[in-house]
Amino acid sequence: MEIKVDVERLREYMLDEFGSAIFNGFPAAVIDAWEIENMDGYELCQKAEDLGIDLRRFQSI
């Protein structure tokens, strides 16, 4: 099933998650956060799926 994803909302969520990781003692998450900021929508969705994030949560109307 194909859905339309609000990639900016997804990007904000992922950056928030990686930001939390950085402040909880995982400085390598800085690299992931930088990559997320620079990914196009397709790459961002791929990364999210690889991390187990349910893209349906970010479905655009």
Side-chain angles (χ1 to χ4, degrees):
M1 178 175 91
E2 189 172 308
I3 62 170
K4 288 189 175 197
V5 174
D6 182 341
V7 292
E8 290 312 312
R9 202 170 99 212
L10 175 60
R11 188 182 317 275
E12 288 176 18
Y13 170 81
M14 292 176 71
L15 287 171
D16 185 52
E17 289 296 310
F18 281 106
S20 296
I22 294 166
F23 289 110
N24 285 312
F26 298 100
V30 171
I31 295 168
D32 287 325
W34 181 85
E35 289 176 347
I36 287 168
E37 288 179 343
N38 294 290
M39 288 179 176
D40 64 28
Y42 179 79
E43 294 170 321
L44 188 67
C45 289
Q46 286 295 120
K47 177 79 169 181
E49 286 182 326
D50 291 346
L51 294 171
I53 297 170
D54 184 359
L55 295 179
R56 292 176 295 183
R57 294 176 51 197
F58 303 95
Q59 186 171 354
S60 62
I61 298 172

